[in-house]
Each structure stands twice: as structure tokens, then as C-alpha cells.
């Protein structure tokens, strides 16, 4: 592989839960070969570059073909830890949105619909002074 060259991708994945000790947070590795070793013309990883110079008044060039290993590192992961403050903020925001939704629905039903009088009669109960104890 070193003589013909190769293109290798190394994927490092972290999946950590910081509710436990950090010793349990270990990465997993994957190795993938990205080039095609079966290609007839240019197997492996190689590249060419030229050096131009003038010798005795004549323009010349030297073409180099380099082989080697090329590594591509890809690192991804996720980590998390339970926190009571973000949890209570999320629950509080959800409850606030639920109460806001009822206000908006009441406004739409009582002010914008054609049959709003029927809904108003069912929603509100009017009491008179004779009904009071």
C-alpha cells in the first residue's frame, strides 16, 4: 500500500453521557479506503507536479510522480448531561405555550366565527342577583 499509495478515511465517533464517569466515554474508530486499488491506470493515491527550469538557454521540465498515504480524519460526536434547570425551563415554556394556545383559540372562536353567539352562550354562564345565596 505504501509503494502505490492509498487514500484512507478515519472516522472517530464520540457518544458520551456525562451523567456517568468520563472513563466510560470512549471513541469508536472506523477505517475506510477511499481509492480504488483495482484501477489499472492510476491505482492508489498519487499526484504529479512539475519543476520548470532553464539549462543552457533551453527550457526544461522535470515531472515528478509522487506516491504516498493520505489520511482524512473525520471526527463527530455528541455528549449530554441531565440538568434540572434546562429541564424546568423547557417544561415551563411548554406550559406557557399551551396556555397561550387556549387564549388564541378563544379569541378566534368568540370574535371571528359567524356563529360566535352560540359559542359565547355555551362558554359563559350569566348569573343574576336572584341566583346569589
Amino acid at each position: 500500500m505504501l509503494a502505490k499509495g492509498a487514500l484512507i478515511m478515519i472516522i472517530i465517533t464520540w457518544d458520551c453521557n456525562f451523567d456517568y464517569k468520563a472513563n466510560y466515554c470512549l471513541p469508536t474508530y472506523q477505517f475506510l479506503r477511499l481509492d480504488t486499488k483495482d484501477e489499472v491506470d492510476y491505482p492508489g493515491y498519487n499526484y504529479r507536479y512539475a519543476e520548470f527550469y532553464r539549462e543552457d538557454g533551453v527550457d526544461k521540465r522535470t515531472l515528478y510522480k509522487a506516491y504516498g498515504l493520505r489520511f482524512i480524519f473525520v471526527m463527530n460526536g455528541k455528549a449530554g448531561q441531565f440538568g434540572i434547570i434546562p429541564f424546568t425551563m423547557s417544561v415551563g415554556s411548554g406550559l406557557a405555550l399551551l396556555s397561550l394556545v387556549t387564549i388564541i383559540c378563544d379569541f378566534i372562536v368568540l370574535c371571528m366565527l359567524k356563529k360566535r353567539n352560540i359559542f359565547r352562550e355555551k362558554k359563559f354562564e350569566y348569573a343574576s342577583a336572584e341566583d346569589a345565596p
Side-chain angles (χ1 to χ4, degrees):
M1 190 164 40
L2 189 57
K4 295 286 184 179
L7 183 59
I8 299 172
M9 178 186 285
I10 301 170
I11 302 172
I12 304 170
T13 305
W14 295 83
D15 189 9
C16 299
N17 184 356
F18 290 126
D19 289 331
Y20 303 110
K21 290 184 178 180
N23 297 341
Y24 297 118
C25 183
L26 299 174
T28 57
Y29 296 92
Q30 289 179 327
F31 299 92
L32 302 171
R33 185 166 181 179
L34 300 179
D35 62 319
T36 57
K37 58 185 174 183
D38 300 329
E39 192 172 329
V40 179
D41 295 332
Y42 304 106
Y45 178 72
N46 58 68
Y47 60 96
R48 295 179 179 161
Y49 64 95
E51 181 181 294
F52 298 95
Y53 57 96
R54 183 178 296 260
E55 187 176 284
D56 297 330
V58 178
D59 290 335
K60 293 189 175 183
R61 139 186 116 129
T62 303
L63 181 65
Y64 296 98
K65 187 169 183 183
Y67 297 93
L69 295 176
R70 182 172 184 184
F71 294 101
I72 299 174
F73 290 92
V74 176
M75 191 176 286
N76 57 29
K78 62 180 180 174
Q81 184 176 13
F82 178 77
I84 192 69
I85 294 173
F87 175 73
T88 54
M89 288 180 65
S90 296
V91 169
S93 298
L95 292 174
L97 286 174
L98 284 175
S99 65
L100 186 64
V101 166
T102 58
I103 294 170
I104 292 171
C105 288
D106 282 346
F107 177 76
I108 291 173
V109 167
L110 295 174
C111 297
M112 296 185 175
L113 293 180
K114 292 179 182 176
K115 297 182 180 181
R116 59 183 169 252
N117 293 331
I118 297 171
F119 291 109
R120 187 170 285 133
E121 289 173 8
K122 298 294 182 184
K123 181 167 178 76
F124 301 111
E125 180 181 345
Y126 297 100
S128 62
E130 293 122 11
D131 295 340

